[in-house]
């Protein structure tokens, strides 16, 4: 055995990382936990080759500031608890501040994140625990974390990875649990390019989506409460019982957990109701005050300890027994009767169970919402050129033309990529004269220009007939058409092929955008602001000029001698 020695720091860290990151599904679990904690309403999970090649989780949650994005990768850095006392009342899924650093220690992690009202986002790249990049970056609000080269520096772990199909199905069943626990979240799961979309729904509809309407239609809903503990859920009638316990789920404060509690409560409730070796499908949602449950007992947070386990088991088995009895009494009864039989607990409490699920979801989310997204409110227009808007940080000045350019640019680029950029036939074709250089450029780039919506034909030496222009320019007066064509031809003179396309789209956006000097109503300003906020890179116009800046409250206070 040799002598005991203290491991060097990096080996110790790799071992610790291994406790959190066991396989691709554990990476996905930590990332989705984070997205849910960040109040996301949409989460997209993408994996390639079972996660070996790529894992990417994207959310539309709160995002992180430039500084926090880097801090998130430091060990024990968390925004979720502040002290040991908080460990006794955890309301978030994460709390240890260990996930991101652990994942980044055994892989290459690229994170893009942006707070909703921030002018720009941040990119952080960490590989094998080493910070490689931390820089401003354009990205939509929310966070995306991409994990590549998983276990590149821990060959033992890599060897234990199972086949892609096995790892993929581990991720899929993990996601099923989140989909059950968070029906109000829109999920997308893409594996090796194949996408499954699971839109937000009521709890029962979500089950129907996952297990089919036939199964969902037969489930019995139950609900009961004692003191501050509430339980609700669905259980299948005996005819839908399975040979394994795989379809038995227990969620505690919406966290999926494995616990004896459920199997014991079921055993008590089903005794004599089900043949040996048959297990009903069951979905149980337990809600208790956070201090009644200790979630800090298992590295993967899969097990929990209950303060009053006996009381909970009793509560649960009674609710289940009642639901199952109801189902046994009337296997062929009308659906209505079945619902009444199973819903006794809910009726006793006087609130339909479904509403309580929704209420619980709302209160859970409200609890987590410390930081609601900040708004930008338009106040006025300055010199018919700048929009003045109020944000919680101060006064924001927006250049209306640059901002609109950005909005249109991103819209047209997207339409172009999707082949949806429309063209507009001119009522009467317009003849334009081009120089030999312009003519050559035009002919070299005819395909691209046609794609953009320009329909143009050669008409003798140096003359061209324009029959259609990009729809966005459709109302250009006749005498401006030649200017439009020149401008597009000029745009495609750029060397780089991709930039050429962008430049042409930029010209269209620029011509179409509101100009400096145009009066806007408050509604128009609000619309522009909200369109801008949805852009991938709202902070700059397509040519890199700023679209806005913030006069910070601090600065205003300083000038007035208030601070
Ligand atoms: P924990 O979740 O235990 O706090 P993590 O290492 O998973 O630890 O994350 C560290 C911190 O990074 C979190 O506390 C949170 O502030 C931030 N964070 C991580 N992922 C996201 C995300 N998707 N959206 C917003 N903030 C995030
Ligand atoms: Mg976490």
């Amino acid at each position: 055995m040799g002598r005991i020695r203290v491991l060097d720091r990096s080996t110790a860290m790799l071992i610790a990382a291994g406790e959190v990151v066991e396989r691709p599904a554990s990476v996905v679990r930590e990332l989705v936990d984070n997205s849910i904690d960040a109040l996301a309403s949409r989460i997209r999970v993408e994996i390639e080759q079972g996660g070996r090649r790529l894992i990417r989780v994207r959310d539309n949650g709160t995002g992180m500031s430039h500084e926090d994005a880097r801090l998130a990768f430091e060990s024990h850095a968390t925004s979720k608890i502040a002290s040991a006392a908080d460990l006794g009342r955890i309301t978030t899924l994460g709390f240890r501040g260990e996930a991101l650093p652990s994942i980044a220690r055994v892989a290459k992690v690229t994170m893009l994140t942006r707070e909703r009202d921030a002018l720009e986002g941040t990119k952080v790249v960490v590989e094998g625990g080493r910070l490689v990049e931390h820089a401003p970056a354009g990205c939509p609000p929310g966070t995306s974390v991409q994990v590549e080269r998983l276990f590149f520096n821990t060959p033992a772990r890599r060897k234990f990875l199972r086949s892609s199909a096995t790892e993929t199905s581990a991720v899929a069943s993990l996601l099923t649990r989140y989909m059950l626990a968070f029906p109000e979240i829109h999920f997308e799961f893409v594996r090796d390019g194949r996408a499954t979309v699971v839109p937000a729904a009521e709890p029962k509809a979500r089950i129907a989506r996952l297990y089919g309407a036939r199964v969902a239609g037969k489930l019995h809903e139950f609900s009961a409460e004692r003191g501050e503990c509430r339980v609700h859920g669905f259980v299948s009638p005996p005819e839908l019982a399975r040979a394994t316990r795989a379809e038995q789920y227990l969620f505690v404060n919406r966290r999926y957990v494995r616990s004896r509690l459920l199997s014991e409560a079921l055993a008590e409730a089903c005794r004599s109701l089900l043949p040996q070796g048959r297990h009903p499908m069951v979905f149980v949602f337990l809600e208790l005050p956070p201090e009644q449950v200790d979630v800090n007992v298992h590295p993967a947070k899969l097990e929990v300890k209950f303060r009053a386990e006996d009381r909970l088991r009793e509560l649960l088995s009674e609710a289940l027994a009642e639901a199952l009895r109801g189902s046994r009494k009337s296997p062929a009864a009308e659906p209505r009767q079945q619902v009444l039989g199973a819903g006794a607990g809910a009726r006793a409490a006087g609130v339909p169970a479904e509403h309580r699920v929704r209420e619980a979801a709302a209160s859970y989310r409200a609890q987590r919402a410390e930081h609601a997204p900040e708004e930008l409110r338009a106040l006025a227009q300055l010199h018919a050129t700048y929009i003045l808007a109020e944000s919680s940080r101060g006064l924001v000045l927006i250049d209306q033309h640059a901002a609109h350019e950005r909005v249109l640019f991103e819209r047209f680029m997207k339409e172009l990529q999707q082949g949806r950029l429309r063209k507009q036939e001119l009522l009467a074709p317009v003849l334009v004269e081009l120089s030999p250089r312009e003519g050559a450029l035009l002919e070299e780039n005819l395909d691209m220009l046609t794609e953009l919506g320009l329909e143009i034909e050669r008409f003798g030496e140096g003359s061209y007939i324009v029959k259609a222009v990009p729809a966005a320019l459709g109302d250009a007066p006749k005498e401006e058409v030649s200017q439009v064509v020149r401008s597009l031809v000029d745009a495609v003179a750029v060397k780089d092929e991709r930039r050429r396309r962008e430049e042409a789209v930029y010209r269209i956006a620029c011509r179409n955008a509101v100009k400096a000097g145009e009066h806007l109503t408050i509604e128009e300003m609000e619309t522009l602001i909200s369109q801008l906020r949805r852009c991938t890179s709202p902070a700059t116009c397509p040519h890199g000029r700023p679209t806005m800046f913030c006069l910070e409250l601090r600065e205003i206070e300083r000038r007035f001698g208030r601070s």
Side-chain angles (χ1 to χ4, degrees):
M1 282 247 285
R3 292 171 50 197
I4 291 180
R5 73 186 90 214
V6 176
L7 293 173
D8 65 77
R9 199 173 135 74
S10 72
T11 312
M13 299 245 261
L14 277 180
I15 292 174
E19 299 220 318
V20 179
V21 193
E22 201 187 334
R23 60 193 299 188
S26 23
V27 173
V28 175
R29 180 188 63 230
E30 295 296 338
L31 299 182
V32 173
D33 272 1
N34 283 348
S35 297
I36 294 173
D37 284 344
L39 306 171
S41 61
R42 298 175 76 93
I43 300 176
R44 178 188 160 96
V45 177
E46 211 177 324
I47 61 170
E48 280 174 25
Q49 289 178 10
R52 203 182 303 248
R53 198 183 142 97
L54 175 86
I55 298 171
R56 190 187 290 129
V57 175
R58 204 192 129 61
D59 66 54
N60 66 346
T62 56
M64 279 166 268
S65 69
H66 190 68
E67 218 18 56
D68 282 352
R70 186 184 58 80
L71 273 180
F73 286 92
E74 306 249 315
S75 250
H76 308 297
T78 178
S79 57
K80 297 168 193 173
I81 62 170
S83 68
D86 292 343
L87 274 175
R89 41 167 189 270
I90 303 251
T91 55
T92 49
L93 295 172
F95 52 86
R96 294 195 183 111
E98 266 309 295
L100 286 177
S102 301
I103 297 167
R105 232 167 265 141
V106 294
K108 176 182 180 189
V109 178
T110 306
M111 179 164 84
L112 279 167
T113 187
R114 189 179 127 211
E115 291 181 300
R116 272 175 227 189
D117 68 334
L119 301 190
E120 61 187 359
T122 302
K123 180 178 184 184
V124 180
V125 183
V126 182
E127 185 164 13
R130 214 168 45 83
L131 181 69
V132 178
E133 191 181 340
H134 176 217
C139 61
T143 302
S144 111
V145 178
Q146 172 175 316
V147 178
E148 293 158 297
R149 306 189 62 207
L150 185 61
F151 300 136
F152 77 97
N153 52 358
T154 51
R157 262 287 140 78
R158 198 169 55 232
K159 257 197 262 153
F160 277 103
L161 282 181
R162 315 272 294 278
S163 70
S164 289
T166 308
E167 297 297 341
T168 301
S169 73
V171 172
S173 53
L174 172 81
L175 290 179
T176 304
R177 299 178 206 151
Y178 284 105
M179 290 168 187
L180 289 168
F182 295 91
E184 76 280 23
I185 295 181
H186 172 110
F187 285 94
E188 279 172 51
F189 178 38
V190 186
R191 61 240 177 261
D192 298 311
R194 274 182 301 138
T196 307
V197 177
V198 181
E202 292 303 321
K204 186 98 179 253
R206 177 57 63 92
I207 294 179
R209 181 97 194 183
L210 298 172
Y211 292 91
R214 193 186 71 87
V215 168
K218 290 194 168 168
L219 294 177
H220 296 279
E221 190 164 355
F222 58 88
S223 141
E225 68 181 287
R226 189 165 304 165
E228 290 178 296
C229 302
R230 296 206 275 190
V231 55
H232 58 257
F234 305 90
V235 60
S236 74
E239 79 252 32
L240 285 183
R242 308 268 167 124
T244 72
R245 297 180 190 278
E247 306 303 342
Q248 300 189 337
Y249 297 89
L250 174 63
F251 300 91
V252 177
N253 293 343
R254 308 185 97 194
R255 183 194 303 277
Y256 171 80
V257 300
R258 288 190 307 229
S259 167
R260 287 195 325 257
L261 185 75
L262 178 59
S263 42
E264 289 173 1
L266 267 171
E268 262 171 55
C270 304
R271 212 179 293 143
S272 81
L273 290 180
L274 275 175
Q276 278 279 315
R278 301 295 290 170
H279 307 279
M281 293 175 74
V282 58
F283 308 88
V284 179
F285 303 88
L286 253 179
E287 274 155 39
L288 3 155
E291 54 281 0
Q292 294 275 326
V293 44
D294 185 0
V295 292
N296 193 23
V297 294
H298 185 263
K301 297 173 283 191
L302 268 174
E303 281 159 24
V304 296
K305 266 210 202 101
F306 299 102
R307 268 262 184 86
E309 182 154 342
D310 293 343
R311 269 216 336 256
L312 281 175
R313 189 185 319 106
E314 229 176 77
L315 176 68
L316 184 53
S317 70
E318 278 171 25
L320 283 167
E322 188 172 345
L324 281 167
R325 262 199 304 277
S327 75
R328 195 179 56 144
K329 251 190 298 181
S330 50
E334 294 302 305
R336 191 178 142 69
Q337 270 175 302
Q338 285 191 16
V339 168
L340 288 178
R347 268 184 297 141
V351 188
E354 188 137 315
H355 287 180
R356 295 147 112 257
V357 177
R358 238 179 294 161
E359 259 169 43
S363 83
Y364 179 82
R365 296 179 80 70
Q367 258 179 36
R368 295 182 305 149
E370 305 113 343
H371 27 227
E374 290 185 54
E375 291 304 318
L376 268 180
R377 192 166 65 86
L379 302 172
Q381 201 184 15
L382 181 70
H383 292 278
T385 301
Y386 306 103
I387 298 170
L388 304 186
E390 180 186 56
S391 90
S392 63
R393 288 170 49 203
L395 178 67
V396 177
L397 283 90
I398 301 169
D399 179 321
Q400 66 192 38
H401 177 67
H404 201 200
E405 261 180 3
R406 163 54 67 185
V407 167
L408 293 176
F409 175 75
E410 291 197 8
R411 182 196 305 162
F412 295 153
M413 277 309 282
K414 196 162 160 200
E415 288 179 357
L416 180 63
Q417 276 151 16
Q418 299 172 341
R420 287 193 296 118
L421 200 65
R422 285 175 310 118
K423 65 180 172 191
Q424 164 87 57
E425 313 263 330
L426 298 178
L427 284 177
V430 175
L431 196 68
V432 301
E433 308 286 331
L434 295 178
S435 73
R437 175 183 164 272
E438 289 169 328
L441 276 172
L442 175 84
E443 282 174 34
E444 272 168 40
N445 293 284
L446 202 55
D447 284 350
M448 180 190 303
L449 291 166
T450 311
E451 215 185 313
L452 287 166
L454 192 67
E455 218 174 273
I456 193 165
E457 275 168 25
R458 207 179 154 137
F459 186 70
E461 201 58 44
S463 298
Y464 293 82
I465 292 188
V466 184
K467 294 186 165 162
V469 294
L473 304 173
D475 52 4
K478 193 170 160 215
E479 48 292 0
E480 277 184 27
V481 167
S482 80
Q483 225 177 309
V484 166
V485 171
R486 281 226 164 71
S487 160
L488 287 176
V489 167
D490 185 48
V492 296
V494 177
K495 276 222 178 61
D496 178 75
E497 158 108 31
R498 203 176 63 93
R499 286 259 302 103
R500 214 178 286 170
R501 198 178 295 260
E502 286 181 1
E503 186 59 30
V505 171
Y506 167 72
R507 304 283 171 121
I508 303 174
C510 174
R511 271 198 88 83
N512 223 34
V514 289
K515 305 281 175 302
E518 278 184 45
H519 284 280
L520 298 180
T521 63
I522 289 282
E523 289 75 49
E524 287 168 333
M525 292 187 241
E526 295 275 3
T527 307
L528 180 52
I529 288 173
S530 76
Q531 289 171 339
L532 183 64
R533 284 162 57 108
R534 266 180 268 129
C535 285
T536 304
S537 310
T540 55
C541 84
H543 272 179
R545 277 198 306 118
T547 53
M548 54 177 150
F549 73 89
C550 181
L551 195 53
E552 304 268 347
L553 264 181
R554 253 178 296 142
E555 171 66 9
I556 298 174
E557 280 162 1
R558 194 183 64 74
R559 295 207 171 215
F560 284 112
R562 278 175 167 274
S563 60

